[in-house]
Every structure is written in C-alpha cells, then in structure tokens.
Amino acid sequence: MAEDPDKMKVEQSDMSITEDRDVKMSQAPIMALSAYELAQKIREQKVTSEEAVSAVLKNIDEHECDVHAYLSFWKEEALAQARKCDEMVRESTDVSTLPPLLGVPVAIKDNLLLRGKRSTCGSKMLKDYIPPFSATCVEKLVAAGAIVIGKTNMDEFGMGASTEHSYFGATRHPEDPDRVPGGSSGGSAAAVAYGGASAALGTDTGGSIRQPAAFCGLVGLRPTYGSVSRHGLVAFASSMDTAGPITRGSVDAAMLFNIVNGADPKDQTSISAPKVDISAMENYDVKGKLIGIPKQLLREDTSYDRSGVSSRTMNRAREFFVKNGAKVEEIDMPILDFAVAIYYILSSAEASSNLSRYDGIRYGYRSGQASDISELYTKTRSEGFGKEVKRRILLGNYVLSSEHFDDCYRQAERARNMVKKAFDEAFSKYDFLLCPTAPGVAPKQGEIDKDPLAAYIADLCTVPASLLGTPAISVPFGRAEGLPVGIQLMGPRFGEQEILGAARFVEKALASDIDGDISFETQTMNQKGGTDS
Ligand code: GLN
C-alpha cells in the first residue's frame, strides 16, 4: 500500500520560537518543578507562565523528533495564552483567588476533545476531525488556568498497551528509543517524562493511564469511574472509560483530580467524588495499615518479564511497607484468573457497538472507492480502522452474536459481578490492595505486536480496577534493568484519599530514602538478566 501522506504528518503551528524572547530562567529548573509548585511560583511571580511554556516548547523542539509524543501542538497560541496569564497575575490584587493551575502547560490525550483542535484518537478514521466542543474534563482544566500545549499520541481509539497502534506512527520511550512508553496514553506519559508538559490527562479503560505512567517513571491515577465526566471522551468501552492525570508526583495527581472531578449534566453516569485533601496526604502514614496483595496478580509467566522484575519489585514493596509499620497479607482471589478474559470480552463488545458509528456517512473518513452504500460501509471501515481495532470489533461482534451471547457476554457479566464481590470483601478488611502495575519494564518496540494474546495477558494487574470502577494509582518504585518500574495501589470506590496518601508516603520515603536499604537495580539495558544489585 502506498504511504498515506497524512500518516506521518504532525500538526505543528508556529514552529519557530523567536530567539529574542526574554527567558529569565533556564528551562531545567522550571521543568524540575511539579505542576503544583509551578502554579505557586507563577502566582508569586517568581516564574512567569511565558518562561514555563517556553521551557516546555524548547523540550518539545529537542525531543519530539525522537519520541513523537504529540500529534499536534501550537506554539504561538500557547505563548500568547501564557502572556495573558502573566498579565492576570500582575494585575491581581489577591493572587489566592486566581485559578489553581494558572499558566501551567499541560498535554491532553488525543481522544479528549478540545474545541477547534484536530482530535484523531490515533486513527485514520478521525484524521481530519475538528470537534465543535471540548470534553468537560478539558474545559475544567482550561477553566483552572492550564494552558493546553497539544494533543498526545495514543493507540488507535485507546486499544493497545504500547502506543504503537497509532495511525500516525509509534511513540518511543523517552529514556530508550528502542522501547515503547506503554499505552494507550503513551504520548501523554512520554510528554510529561521528557518535560514536554508539566502534567497531562490520559484515559484508562483497562490500564492506559497506569501502565504508561509506570513505564515512564510517573504517577498515573485512574479515578473512581464516573467521578470524571466522559462527555467529550471518545468512547471505547463506556462502562470502563475514565479520564485521569499522568503527573510527576502524587500531589499533582491529586490537584488535577480535584479539578476534573465532578458530576456533569452531560454525562448521566457522572458523580462527584469527595475532593482529596492534599495537606492530609502529607500527614499520611502507612504505620498500622492493613495491606492485601491478591496472589493471582503475582503471576510470573508473562513474556515481557522474563527476568522476574515484577516479583523482585513486589518483594521490595512488601519489605518497604512492613518496615514502615504496615501489616501485609497475601489474599486468594481465584476469580482474578478470569479477569483478563472478562475484560476483553466486555470491552470488545462495548467497542464494537461504540465504533459502529464510524460508517463514512456522518463524520470521519469516507472511502472514495465505493459504488454503492454497502460497499461504502465496508470500504470505509476496512480502510479507516487499523489492525488492532478490527480485531476488537471482530471479537466484540463474536461475543454479541446470538450464538455466543449467553455463553460469552452474559457469562462475562456474571463473572464481573463475582470480581466485584471478591473485591468488596477485600476492601472491607484491607486499607488498600497492592500489586505490580505491569509485568517487567517497558518492552522493546515491536515486541507487543508479535503476540497480541500475550499483550492482553500483560494487562492482568490493571483490568480488575477497570471492571470494578474503583480508583487505582501507579506510583514509581525505583528502577530495574535501567528503567522505571511502578507499583499499583487499589482502593474502594471513592477511596482516592487513601491511595493518594499512601502514594505520597511512598514517594517521600523513596526521595529521602528513610528506609535506607531498599536496593534498586541500576544496571543499564546492556546488562541482560536483570539481577538485583
Ligand atoms: N491495554 C488495554 C486494551 O488494549 C487497555 C487500554 C485502555 O485502557 N485504553 O484494551
């Protein structure tokens, strides 16, 4: 097939940053700040928003050609917005009344609509789609003063775990271009990791916020289902789709969550979750907490973790929590052996139904080769969707077909309820649950595509919270084989305060190494085998 000229096109308006701009601070100190700190410094006029946006744009200039985190970004527009924010700060008589993220540069996954900006979902089907409205969560970020720098790359319609299934080409891991950043929100994670944004929004259906956050050394929060409106989030599997933050730390994650959380009349499944008390997070202590580790989530046989990174990480995590005064117990949850199957049956069923709207008639790509209406549908969908999306549609149609509806779809629904019951019981006893976020470290480019089933199995630890609609967070827990690894903390519905508090505790402890003897692997990628150091 001839290369589609649109395929590698990245929309970059206003490419050049004018040289004479008065950037007082160098980019490094600004981008070392968390979004929370940066917002404060902008309010205190210690840093201008223009300096922050310039720093981000400089990083984009430097890294984007290798990483390809963005599908589109707009330089002059972002700088103009930054200058406006700076003016607001200068003219304010009481800076405490200014919006909480005023002047902070953020990135948005491309399946979250931003009015007037191309929103492709990583698909040829929507390659020219310009939405007439913004997603509620994006509107809320903008109302909180954030400056949207651009839209980030993703697996087509969120289906995938590597950001290789994008029509516009893969995103690469910012620390190692031979590796993937994870997915499907790999563009958002990579952008935050290389300093191409202070924070980002991703979406998580079965792990797409948490897994790329873990692979890129970031915090990824999947909030309670419904607490963030799905209005303007392009649907994949509606009973699980959730937008949430990918950030450099848990305080930023809490701050972004507080901003985007809330019931929305435009999404009937939305509901307001309690706001997270950020100062209470600082006082959180794991001492006296009871933590459960579902033993079915400790599987060691996934192809991406040949050297046992996850089990070594979990041993350290267990040791860490025990040393800090928590009680850690393994729990048996046999239904979790079916979690991946349940997730893929239900999410594919929902996807096949949601994606039926892309028919070449209403909006999106339309094949120019059709001679009648039925050929128009067939050709539009054959040409417009990529391989992974077609696989999900086929699987979805299969499980929804009259022959298989009862033995596949209905069974999966029943099994989902059993997962819910098992977790309700666990949450009535444990303060939170702990497990790896994903097997091993970020896989090599191409590895995931070789074996789709192995890729599905690798979602084992993230899909349970998706089926339950409960919150879960991935927090960095050192490195292995030269790359970041994360651990996942899961709480009951509306349990954001607890898991964010625990994540903050882990983060502070690792930063100051109060534990003193947690060993982390420091070998580079050349040293195969991944032994503990
Ligand atoms: N990897 C999972 C899938 O492909 C998760 C995707 C997601 O959360 N959007 O379905």
Side-chain angles (χ1 to χ4, degrees):
M1 206 179 92
E3 184 66 18
D4 187 317
D6 288 312
K7 191 149 187 169
M8 296 307 294
K9 196 175 83 189
V10 175
E11 207 174 273
Q12 300 177 6
S13 40
D14 319 316
M15 274 305 292
S16 58
I17 307 173
T18 44
E19 292 301 307
D20 59 352
R21 189 158 291 117
D22 181 21
V23 178
K24 288 175 224 93
M25 253 172 110
S26 79
Q27 60 176 328
I30 294 181
M31 291 320 291
L33 299 171
S34 67
Y36 184 78
E37 291 164 336
L38 178 59
Q40 253 174 343
K41 291 231 184 295
I42 290 172
R43 269 199 296 279
E44 292 163 359
Q45 298 194 46
K46 292 194 174 131
V47 173
T48 65
S49 172
E50 187 177 358
E51 287 166 341
V53 170
S54 300
V56 156
L57 294 176
K58 188 152 190 256
N59 283 334
I60 291 176
D61 272 349
E62 254 167 51
H63 300 285
E64 199 47 30
C65 52
D66 297 326
V67 178
H68 186 31
Y70 281 99
L71 289 177
S72 55
F73 50 90
W74 32 88
K75 291 185 169 183
E76 286 305 330
E77 194 177 323
L79 284 163
Q81 281 173 12
R83 281 179 220 118
K84 262 196 203 145
C85 294
D86 290 331
E87 208 177 293
M88 273 174 79
V89 175
R90 280 194 302 272
E91 283 172 5
S92 168
T93 48
D94 178 4
V95 290
S96 69
T97 59
L98 291 172
L101 271 181
L102 188 69
V104 173
V106 299
I108 304 287
K109 188 177 179 180
D110 209 31
N111 58 350
L112 294 167
L113 305 185
L114 174 59
R115 190 160 69 100
K117 300 290 185 198
R118 207 159 68 108
S119 295
T120 70
C121 289
S123 181
K124 180 177 180 180
M125 198 55 104
L126 291 176
K127 70 184 173 62
D128 300 315
Y129 177 62
I130 299 187
F133 66 96
S134 291
T136 300
C137 60
V138 174
E139 250 172 17
K140 285 185 170 192
L141 266 196
V142 171
I147 297 174
V148 180
I149 292 288
K151 307 288 304 290
T152 54
N153 200 10
M154 56 182 285
D155 288 301
E156 188 177 0
F157 287 104
M159 298 169 195
S162 66
T163 318
E164 291 169 300
H165 297 297
S166 165
Y167 173 68
F168 303 95
T171 297
R172 294 175 183 275
H173 195 287
E175 293 185 42
D176 180 351
D178 291 337
R179 298 200 173 246
V180 302
S184 61
S185 314
S188 285
V192 176
Y194 80 62
S198 289
L201 281 185
T203 66
D204 187 311
T205 303
S208 284
I209 286 176
R210 295 161 283 162
Q211 182 253 33
F215 286 166
C216 292
L218 301 167
V219 167
L221 171 69
R222 176 193 165 89
T224 298
Y225 176 79
S227 64
V228 183
S229 167
R230 282 181 296 113
H231 174 70
L233 190 181
V234 180
F236 161 10
S238 311
S239 77
M240 293 176 247
D241 293 341
T242 304
I246 297 182
T247 55
R248 297 216 191 89
S250 55
V251 171
D252 282 1
M255 181 169 63
L256 261 70
F257 169 70
N258 284 345
I259 290 167
V260 295
N261 163 34
D264 176 12
K266 293 174 185 149
D267 172 5
Q268 308 244 316
T269 60
S270 66
I271 182 168
S272 284
K275 278 210 184 275
V276 172
D277 178 342
I278 294 179
S279 52
M281 277 168 67
E282 294 297 332
N283 302 324
Y284 184 98
D285 198 330
V286 299
K287 194 163 175 205
K289 298 285 179 185
L290 187 54
I291 304 169
I293 302 181
K295 78 171 190 217
Q296 281 74 14
L297 302 184
L298 298 176
R299 253 176 97 155
E300 281 180 36
D301 58 347
T302 76
S303 55
Y304 307 130
D305 193 16
R306 289 179 204 98
S307 54
V309 165
S310 293
S311 65
R312 291 198 300 282
T313 304
M314 282 306 290
N315 288 341
R316 286 195 201 98
R318 204 186 307 241
E319 253 172 53
F320 168 85
F321 284 112
V322 169
K323 267 191 197 145
N324 283 290
K327 198 169 170 212
V328 181
E329 287 176 2
E330 248 180 49
I331 36 178
D332 191 18
M333 301 175 93
I335 188 68
L336 284 182
D337 286 335
F338 304 96
V340 170
I342 303 166
Y343 168 79
Y344 275 93
I345 290 173
L346 296 179
S347 65
S348 302
E350 292 182 33
S352 69
S353 160
N354 276 325
L355 269 56
S356 63
R357 73 190 68 173
Y358 303 105
D359 55 8
I361 306 287
R362 285 167 283 188
Y363 51 82
Y365 174 77
R366 174 183 295 180
S367 172
Q369 312 296 322
S371 53
D372 59 35
I373 184 79
S374 113
E375 211 175 83
L376 180 70
Y377 292 148
T378 316
K379 290 211 160 144
T380 293
R381 289 168 70 79
S382 306
E383 293 161 18
F385 289 132
K387 188 172 63 176
E388 185 57 33
V389 171
K390 285 179 188 156
R391 193 179 284 139
R392 307 290 175 107
I393 292 174
L394 285 176
L395 178 59
N397 285 344
Y398 178 89
V399 302
L400 290 175
S401 65
S402 51
E403 298 99 302
H404 301 287
F405 187 75
D406 282 332
D407 57 337
C408 288
Y409 185 80
R410 277 258 179 272
Q411 282 289 75
E413 276 203 315
R414 276 187 210 113
R416 183 185 199 171
N417 283 332
M418 288 164 79
V419 175
K420 277 196 178 132
K421 244 175 119 187
F423 273 89
D424 281 349
E425 225 168 87
F427 287 134
S428 70
K429 179 169 177 196
Y430 297 95
D431 291 292
F432 59 88
L433 304 183
L434 168 70
C435 66
T437 307
V441 293
K444 292 250 191 221
Q445 295 274 345
E447 197 173 346
I448 285 190
D449 216 18
K450 270 190 241 153
D451 185 353
L453 199 58
Y456 295 176
I457 292 168
D459 289 337
L460 170 68
C461 293
T462 49
V463 295
S466 302
L467 294 171
L468 299 163
T470 50
I473 191 167
S474 179
V475 60
F477 202 72
R479 300 170 77 84
E481 299 180 345
L483 287 162
V485 263
I487 52 171
Q488 183 180 212
L489 316 176
M490 293 187 272
R493 217 168 140 67
F494 303 127
E496 277 84 359
Q497 183 78 49
E498 180 85 30
I499 57 171
L500 277 158
R504 181 70 187 134
F505 183 89
V506 169
E507 210 169 69
K508 286 200 291 191
L510 297 198
S512 61
D513 197 15
I514 54 167
D515 184 70
D517 59 356
I518 304 170
S519 57
F520 289 99
E521 297 163 45
T522 52
Q523 301 101 314
T524 62
M525 294 316 304
N526 309 336
Q527 295 167 284
K528 291 251 167 66
T531 51
D532 290 353
S533 58

